Structure formats: C-alpha cells, structure tokens
Amino acid sequence: MYWRLLGYINYVRKKGANVFFRKRKSLNPDVGPVISFTFDDFPISAASEGANILEKYGARATFYASMSNLDKPGFFRTCDLEELFCKGHEIGCHTFSHIDCWKENPLRLLEDVKMNQLALQAVIPQSRFTTFAYPYAHVPIIGKLIVGAKFNAARGGKGGINCESVDANSLLAHTLFYNLNQKNLVELISNVASCKGWLIFIIHDVGEEPSTYGCTPAQLEMAVRLATQLKIRILPVQDALTAFGIE
C-alpha cells in the first residue's frame, strides 16, 4: 500500500511539473532543424573525447557542470573548463552539489544554484550560466519557477523533439546512451530534419566501455556525422535559443 501511494504521488508530481509554471516559447520555423549535444556532470572523457569529436566537424556542445565535482577523480578539471570555454563550448548549470530537485527544499535549490555560479566564476571570471539541466532529469513544480527566473531555459527529463511551441522551463530531450541502437538513432535524427525542430541529446561519458549513461565514440561520431550530412545545425543550447529567438 505504501509503495502504491508513493508511486501515485510521484505520478501526480510529474504531471504537475508538466502543467504548472510553463515558460511558453515559439520556435522560429525558419531556423531549424537544430541538434544540441549536452554532457552532464561531466566526466573527463566528455571534455576530451566528446569535445574532440564535435570539434572535428566544426561543432560545439553544452557541458552541464556541478562544480562540486571539479578536480574529483574522473571528473572535469580546471584546465578542461578553461579550454572548453575558450573553444566556444557552453558551460551550463547542473546545480553545485548535483542535488535531486524533487527532494530538496526550493530555497536550498536556489542557494545551490548561486553556489555553482560563484564556483564557476572563480575559475572563469567572465563566465555566466544561462541554461540549466535538472539533475536526474527530475523536474520539480516549484523548482521550475525558481529555475525559470534564473535561466533562459532548462533541459527537462521528458523525451521528444522540441517543435513549434516549447516549455523553456522543461525542454524535451533524448538520451544518447549506449543502449540506443543505430536504427533508432538514425530515425531520431531523420525526424528532427523532417519537422525542422530542435533535438537535444543527453550524454554523460564517452568511451569504448561507457557507463550505462554514456556512449561510445563511434555512436557519438555517427550522430554528429549524420547531422552534418543532413545539413542540421549543431549548436550549444544557448546558441540554439538565440537562433530560435528565445531569450
């Protein structure tokens, strides 16, 4: 009985997050199609292998950083942040402590976001977060209100392609993880080309033996190459917002 009740409460919370505090924006149909590659947390392999693949095709990505991970074993280093920023990649906010926004007090979320900004500016003084990604893809109802006031847009946890009208407080996104087969990947990219929308990929690490939440270099390169062949623009999230006329 307890677990059924808990499951129902979580279901209502998810539905509520999709309904309340929407930041409705329209995508300029003359801009798409666009794909954004986003790396969460982010491991060193994303900053090296992932960035290298994007740069090979003249593209840039968004790296969502929880600054509490800075210089921890396996995670991004100060030199990675500086290099990515200088090369034109976007550094996005993922909270300082990688907190679960569903479980935390909204005031704690606000404080954690502020801490993340200060930590980033301690490394790159001229930088400022303009986009956000909810850790664990958990989109809280009140949290959307806080995030919407602080950032131009936030990537949510619901799958799909952003077309025509979007909720900028919870942008649709699709995982590009190891278990995504080639057929489905090609279909996704072909669909965004057809609808002239905006597809956002979520990735963590990049390696020959990736984690459950990562992909192989071959998978990532195939996605980038196919997008290039189909003349789909590859842009960091903030650049895509600007292109679509969303500020």
Side-chain angles (χ1 to χ4, degrees):
M1 182 66 179
Y2 169 78
W3 294 111
R4 289 179 63 186
L5 178 60
L6 184 62
Y8 177 74
I9 291 173
N10 285 336
Y11 171 79
V12 171
R13 290 172 73 186
K14 287 181 181 179
K15 286 292 184 181
N18 289 332
V19 173
F20 296 107
F21 302 124
R22 291 180 175 182
K23 188 190 288 186
R24 279 294 181 194
K25 300 290 182 178
S26 296
L27 301 183
N28 185 336
D30 297 327
V31 172
V34 172
I35 292 180
S36 296
F37 292 88
T38 65
F39 297 89
D40 287 8
D41 294 339
F42 48 94
I44 289 178
S45 63
S48 55
E49 190 73 35
N52 288 341
I53 291 172
L54 270 293
E55 290 164 13
K56 178 180 174 182
Y57 291 84
R60 298 295 183 267
T62 298
F63 293 81
Y64 283 111
S66 293
M67 292 298 290
S68 63
N69 286 333
L70 179 63
D71 291 326
K72 285 185 178 179
F75 288 97
F76 61 95
R77 303 156 297 182
T78 298
C79 60
D80 296 318
L81 281 177
E82 293 171 336
E83 183 174 354
L84 290 170
F85 183 79
C86 288
K87 288 184 175 180
H89 295 279
E90 177 189 5
I91 310 298
C93 184
H94 206 40
T95 75
F96 179 79
S97 308
H98 200 271
I99 61 174
D100 189 334
C101 300
W102 266 11
K103 297 178 181 178
E104 290 293 344
N105 182 297
L107 293 178
R108 167 76 200 289
L109 170 59
L110 180 60
E111 185 61 31
D112 210 71
V113 165
K114 290 180 179 178
M115 288 174 60
N116 212 36
Q117 181 64 67
L118 291 173
L120 176 66
Q121 290 181 316
V123 178
I124 309 173
Q126 69 272 36
S127 63
R128 183 175 68 89
F129 292 125
T130 59
T131 69
F132 181 84
Y134 298 94
Y136 309 104
H138 288 172
V139 182
I141 297 175
I142 302 300
K144 282 183 71 178
L145 182 63
I146 293 171
V147 167
K150 298 284 292 182
F151 301 97
N152 294 336
R155 197 202 66 208
K158 190 176 180 181
I161 296 172
N162 299 283
C163 293
E164 298 180 355
S165 179
V166 302
D167 178 5
N169 283 343
S170 185
L171 294 169
L172 303 179
H174 202 290
T175 55
L176 176 48
F177 293 167
Y178 183 65
N179 60 358
L180 181 64
N181 63 47
Q182 182 174 330
K183 178 182 177 182
N184 290 341
L185 178 58
V186 171
E187 184 178 351
L188 267 173
I189 295 175
S190 299
N191 286 344
V192 74
S194 299
C195 75
K196 295 186 177 180
W198 180 17
L199 173 61
I200 303 174
F201 278 122
I202 304 172
I203 313 166
H204 287 71
D205 53 299
V206 181
E208 295 300 338
E209 296 182 359
S211 70
T212 306
Y213 309 106
C215 68
T216 65
Q219 282 178 301
L220 178 58
E221 181 152 12
M222 186 183 78
V224 176
R225 183 173 60 249
L226 180 57
T228 303
Q229 291 171 346
L230 293 176
K231 301 188 185 307
I232 300 173
R233 300 172 70 186
I234 301 175
L235 299 172
V237 173
Q238 180 54 59
D239 287 358
L241 291 171
T242 302
F244 279 114
I246 300 175
E247 294 293 346

